[in-house]
């Protein structure tokens, strides 16, 4: 991608800006405008698809679901995965991948984990095993196509390859299942694919997922509309408003009917307290079925909501916790901003329309980007690792992970199984199996036994069992949950203290971590009856089902708010007293101000789906083939110059004008940019010829 001046689109009166500090020439737009479609305008839906397949690419576990467009009310979840842990639902599979020593794809999920587990230690160190790698896309400061990941054995591998392997795996699994269902080979061109991502992800991470999808063969660059990126809190919200009473549990009901109490673990074993035998039977059948019926109406719960009522969706996943506040507005009502986030709290707004009403949605997204703090449910794993370091030493744990990577995975699997048993009021201790290689390697490393280390440590709540297990008291296990849960409760408290976010009627708890009885009790204690706590059945599949609904109708989200301010650097006429003297450029007798930030869209600005930002430019030379325009962004709502602090170059708008040459003395390229979708899109046309100009925005090269 070139940045030469003659490859930058400029006005016929403009000249390149001497913004040498940022190395970006200036451009002056001919016609800066916004184009907003009416509510009745139809947003192009692109190709016609037979089926929508959504992939929930989770931090800890992943899966897919699908629905045929002719039967949108029937959502089918993926086949049960082979492998898995006793007593643990395997409707999803772990986000783990295994490559052979020569870096070829071997397996994904339970198959990868189990095969790696069975390898001899002398063999396993040559295989590349990766797990829980999704959030690398968010935590990497300068994400690019060349970003790499570290496998369990310490070797590096390109992240793009890993994500592409994973998506190719899901493509193969889903198409095979669709082929089995339809009785013939299913054509990938008939599938609309949906991939879920956290709303906190910035544009480079979303583009990275799209690039991985292209590389995997999930979709092709020629048909980008075949892939839809769905934001996880949006998907959860879409599904929650469809819930019927028999598809949820109300934790606020203090009852033990049907063997359910507010302290029970709520997951795939949930039952709704109800005296109706028919309702019980309906729930029983639904739990055994892989097909979920989603009626084309809003659920009964919404009949209790009135104008101005608010509810919260708390999405507790492995890598992120998203707090989303929604306010009900009738069609004739006014859109209202509930609360403006500050500091490191991120804000997104959505608007969901239905035939009955629409919601003005406020989203506050909380993310824990460092290993030292809670990190969704992964925070519990980190606390366990810290405990092991306290007992056995940081130096030993670091070496053990490198020298015995498969055994370390086994240890964390054993912990994962036991941490699911943590619950308030539990009396029995929890035993965690230590792999033999852990015990053996520790004795070689330290010269004494694991039992000796436990006796000498000051950790009284962890004992050694003669069966070769760590025996943790219930309080010890619960203490591992405390930092993560405290962080979630802290943000919920801060949210509920805002006067703009008062009187919350319902709180929906979704995501895999929502199954934790400890988290459920903590949320109950915090709310003290101020809001009803609702948990959907199969709570870990809420986002997946909502993503299918979103894929069936991506236009269901009508309005979003931009998380950042986007624009380009341009030249404007210099105005004395308004523009800084150091920005003055005199060219052919004309006084210009350089480095002016031409705003496309401002942070926190409401953008409707289908709304376009239009700019018209003219190439510097008639023979110009490729135009590259640098795009800048900032968290500030108002910005004057691209050289201000907090403004950074974040992308490039690339226009391929080859093949659109004309005899016109002045070529105008009209560029349209769409900011109201989950991804920023660009399109362009040569006004003089009417020919389409190939346009794209690249966020990965900066």
């Amino acid at each position: 991608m070139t940045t030469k001046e003659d490859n930058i689109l400029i006005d016929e009166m403009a000249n390149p800006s001497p913004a040498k500090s940022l190395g970006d020439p200036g451009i002056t737009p001919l016609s800066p405008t916004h184009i907003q479609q009416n509510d009745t305008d139809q947003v192009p839906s692109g190709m016609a698809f037979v089926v929508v397949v959504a992939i929930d690419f989770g931090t800890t576990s992943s899966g897919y679901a699908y629905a045929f467009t002719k039967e949108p009310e029937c959502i089918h979840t993926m086949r049960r995965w082979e492998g898995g842990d006793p007593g643990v639902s395997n409707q999803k599979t772990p986000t783990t991948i295994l490559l052979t020593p020569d870096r070829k794809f071997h397996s994904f999920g339970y198959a990868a984990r189990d095969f790696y587990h069975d390898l001899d230690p002398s063999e396993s160190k040559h295989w590349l095993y990766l797990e829980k790698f999704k959030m690398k896309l968010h935590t990497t400061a300068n994400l690019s196509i060349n970003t790499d990941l570290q496998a369990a054995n310490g070797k590096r591998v390109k992240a793009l390859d890993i994500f592409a392997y994973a998506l190719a795996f899901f493509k193969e699994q889903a198409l095979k299942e669709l082929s089995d269902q339809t009785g013939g080979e299913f054509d990938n061109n008939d599938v609309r694919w949906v991939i879920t991502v956290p709303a906190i992800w910035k544009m480079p991470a979303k583009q990275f997922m799209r690039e991985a999808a292209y590389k995997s063969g999930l979709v092709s660059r020629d048909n980008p509309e075949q892939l839809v990126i769905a934001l996880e809190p949006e998907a959860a919200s879409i599904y929650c408003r469809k819930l019927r009473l028999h598809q949820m549990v109300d934790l606020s009901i203090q009852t033990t009917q049907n063997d359910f109490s507010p302290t029970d673990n709520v997951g795939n074993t949930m039952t709704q307290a109800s005296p109706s035998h028919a309702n019980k039977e309906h729930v029983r059948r639904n739990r055994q079925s892989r097909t979920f019926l989603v009626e084309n109406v809003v659920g009964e719960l919404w009949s209790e909501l009135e104008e101005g009522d608010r509810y919260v969706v708390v999405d507790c996943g492995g890598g992120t916790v998203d707090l989303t506040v929604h306010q009900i507005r009738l069609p004739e009502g006014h859109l209202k901003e509930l609360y403006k986030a500050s500091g490191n709290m991120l804000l997104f707004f959505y608007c969901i329309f239905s035939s009955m009403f629409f919601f003005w949605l406020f989203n506050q997204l909380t993310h824990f980007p460092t290993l030292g703090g809670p990190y969704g449910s992964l925070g519990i794993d980190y606390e366990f690792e810290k405990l092991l370091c306290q007992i056995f030493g940081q130096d030993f744990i670091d070496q053990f992970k490198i020298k015995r990577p498969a055994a370390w995975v086994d240890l964390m699997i054993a912990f994962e199984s036991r941490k699911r048993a943590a619950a308030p009021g539990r009396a029995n201790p929890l035993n965690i199996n230590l792999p033999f290689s852990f015990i053996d390697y520790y004795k070689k490393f330290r010269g004494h036994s694991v039992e000796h280390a436990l006796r000498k440590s000051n950790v009284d709540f962890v004992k050694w069992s003669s069966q070769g297990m760590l025996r943790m008291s219930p309080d010890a296990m619960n203490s591992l949950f405390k930092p993560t849960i405290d962080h979630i409760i802290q943000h919920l408290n801060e949210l509920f203290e805002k006067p703009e976010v008062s009187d919350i009627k319902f709180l929906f708890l979704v995501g895999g971590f929502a199954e934790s009885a400890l988290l459920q009790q903590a949320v109950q204690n915090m709310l003290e009856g101020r809001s009803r706590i609702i948990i959907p059945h199969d709570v870990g599949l809420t986002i997946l089902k909502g993503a299918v609904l979103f894929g069936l109708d991506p236009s269901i989200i009508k309005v979003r708010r931009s998380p950042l301010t986007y624009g380009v650097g341009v030249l404007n006429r210099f105005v004395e007293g308004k523009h800084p003297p150091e920005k003055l450029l005199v060219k052919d007798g004309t006084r210009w101000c350089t480095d002016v930030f031409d705003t496309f869209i401002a942070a926190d600005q409401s953008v409707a789906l289908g709304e376009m930002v239009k700019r018209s430019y003219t190439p510097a030379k008639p023979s110009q083939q490729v135009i590259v325009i640098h795009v800048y962004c900032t968290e500030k709502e108002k910005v004057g110059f691209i050289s201000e602090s907090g403004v950074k170059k974040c992308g490039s708008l690339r226009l391929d004008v080859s093949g659109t040459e004309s005899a016109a003395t002045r070529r105008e390229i009209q560029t349209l940019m769409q900011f109201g979708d989950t991804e920023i899109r660009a399109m362009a046309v040569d006004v003089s010829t009417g020919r389409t100009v190939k346009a794209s925005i690249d966020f990965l090269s900066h």
Side-chain angles (χ1 to χ4, degrees), residues 299-515:
E300 296 99 332
L301 211 59
W302 305 110
S303 63
E304 302 180 34
L305 294 172
E306 300 174 349
E307 162 78 13
D309 280 347
R310 303 176 177 98
Y311 66 94
V312 180
V313 174
V314 182
D315 175 16
C316 302
T320 56
V321 175
D322 296 344
L323 311 181
T324 311
V325 183
H326 308 203
Q327 184 173 30
I328 304 301
R329 284 300 188 194
L330 298 176
E332 64 273 12
H334 299 289
L335 300 180
K336 181 181 179 182
E337 182 173 313
L338 301 182
Y339 165 65
K340 180 175 172 56
S342 60
N344 62 355
M345 306 299 287
L346 297 176
L347 187 67
F348 292 84
F349 283 73
Y350 308 116
C351 194
I352 295 182
F353 284 78
S354 74
S355 58
M356 296 177 60
F357 44 69
F358 64 79
F359 312 92
W360 183 243
L361 310 182
F362 159 89
N363 289 351
Q364 177 174 310
L365 304 172
T366 306
H367 176 60
F368 311 110
T370 62
L371 228 66
Y375 205 22
S377 65
L378 289 185
I380 304 157
D381 297 347
Y382 298 145
E383 290 299 317
F384 178 62
E385 184 174 337
K386 283 166 59 179
L387 176 63
L388 293 177
C389 291
Q390 185 180 348
I391 297 171
F392 303 108
Q394 177 84 51
D395 55 342
F396 167 73
I397 295 299
D398 289 344
Q399 279 299 305
F400 180 72
K401 289 164 70 175
I402 295 171
K403 300 294 186 181
R404 301 288 189 273
W408 174 255
V409 171
D410 289 345
L411 175 57
M412 294 310 294
I413 290 170
F415 173 71
E416 175 71 25
S417 175
R418 301 313 296 147
K419 83 177 183 184
R420 290 174 178 268
R426 182 186 174 97
N428 299 331
L430 295 107
N431 296 325
I432 300 170
N433 282 309
L434 279 182
F436 172 76
S437 60
F438 184 99
I439 300 169
D440 181 62
Y441 190 72
Y442 182 79
K443 189 163 187 176
K444 292 177 180 176
F445 190 86
R446 291 279 189 233
H448 56 254
S449 68
V450 165
E451 184 179 2
H452 179 268
L454 279 164
R455 283 201 309 268
K456 291 296 183 182
S457 73
N458 295 320
V459 182
D460 297 331
F461 45 79
V462 180
K463 306 295 183 183
W464 175 248
S465 164
S466 58
Q467 287 81 26
M469 294 183 286
L470 295 179
R471 176 165 291 184
M472 296 184 68
S473 69
D475 288 343
M477 178 63 81
N478 294 355
S479 69
L480 301 181
F481 283 71
K482 192 174 186 305
T484 299
I485 291 178
D486 284 353
H487 215 124
I488 295 171
I489 297 303
Q490 175 191 338
H491 284 299
L492 275 173
N493 269 320
E494 291 173 358
L495 189 67
F496 274 73
E497 287 172 2
K498 302 293 178 183
E500 307 94 325
V501 192
S502 59
D503 301 323
I504 299 296
K505 198 156 189 175
F506 299 110
L507 184 146
F508 290 91
L509 207 54
V510 303
F513 192 30
E515 296 180 9

Side-chain angles (χ1 to χ4, degrees), residues 54-59 134-135 137-138 163 167 194-210 212-213 227-236 315 319-320 322 348 350 363 365 543-544 547 550 560 677-679:
I55 300 172
D56 182 7
F57 202 116
T59 303
K134 171 186 171 184
M135 292 310 294
L137 298 194
H138 177 71
F163 281 85
L167 293 177
V194 182
I195 300 176
T196 64
V197 301
I200 198 172
W201 276 16
K202 294 182 172 62
M203 288 300 164
K206 295 176 186 177
Q207 183 183 336
F208 188 98
M209 288 299 289
R210 180 168 285 277
L227 172 64
V228 175
I229 300 294
L231 305 183
E232 289 168 4
E234 285 187 357
D315 175 16
T320 56
D322 296 344
F348 292 84
Y350 308 116
N363 289 351
L365 304 172
I543 291 171
L544 190 52
F550 179 70
R560 293 180 175 87
D677 210 336
T678 56
E679 300 173 272

Side-chain angles (χ1 to χ4, degrees), residues 170-210:
F170 280 113
K171 174 190 175 185
E172 180 184 356
Q173 295 291 316
L175 289 180
K176 186 176 187 306
E177 183 168 345
L178 290 169
S179 297
D180 291 345
Q181 275 219 11
T182 56
E185 187 172 350
F186 205 88
D187 188 349
N188 186 53
N189 292 323
D190 291 332
V191 181
R192 162 171 273 167
W193 295 94
V194 182
I195 300 176
T196 64
V197 301
I200 198 172
W201 276 16
K202 294 182 172 62
M203 288 300 164
K206 295 176 186 177
Q207 183 183 336
F208 188 98
M209 288 299 289
R210 180 168 285 277

Side-chain angles (χ1 to χ4, degrees), residues 69-112:
T69 54
K70 290 185 177 179
E71 294 180 315
E73 70 283 357
C74 295
I75 299 177
H76 308 268
T77 59
M78 55 286 186
R79 292 168 169 163
R80 300 283 177 172
W81 301 101
E82 294 182 6
D85 304 314
V88 177
S89 169
N90 59 348
Q91 284 185 305
K92 285 186 176 181
T93 194
T95 307
T96 56
I97 194 167
L98 182 65
L99 305 187
T100 63
D102 58 352
R103 298 175 179 258
K104 296 290 193 300
F105 174 79
H106 180 272
S107 49
F108 185 91
Y110 285 117

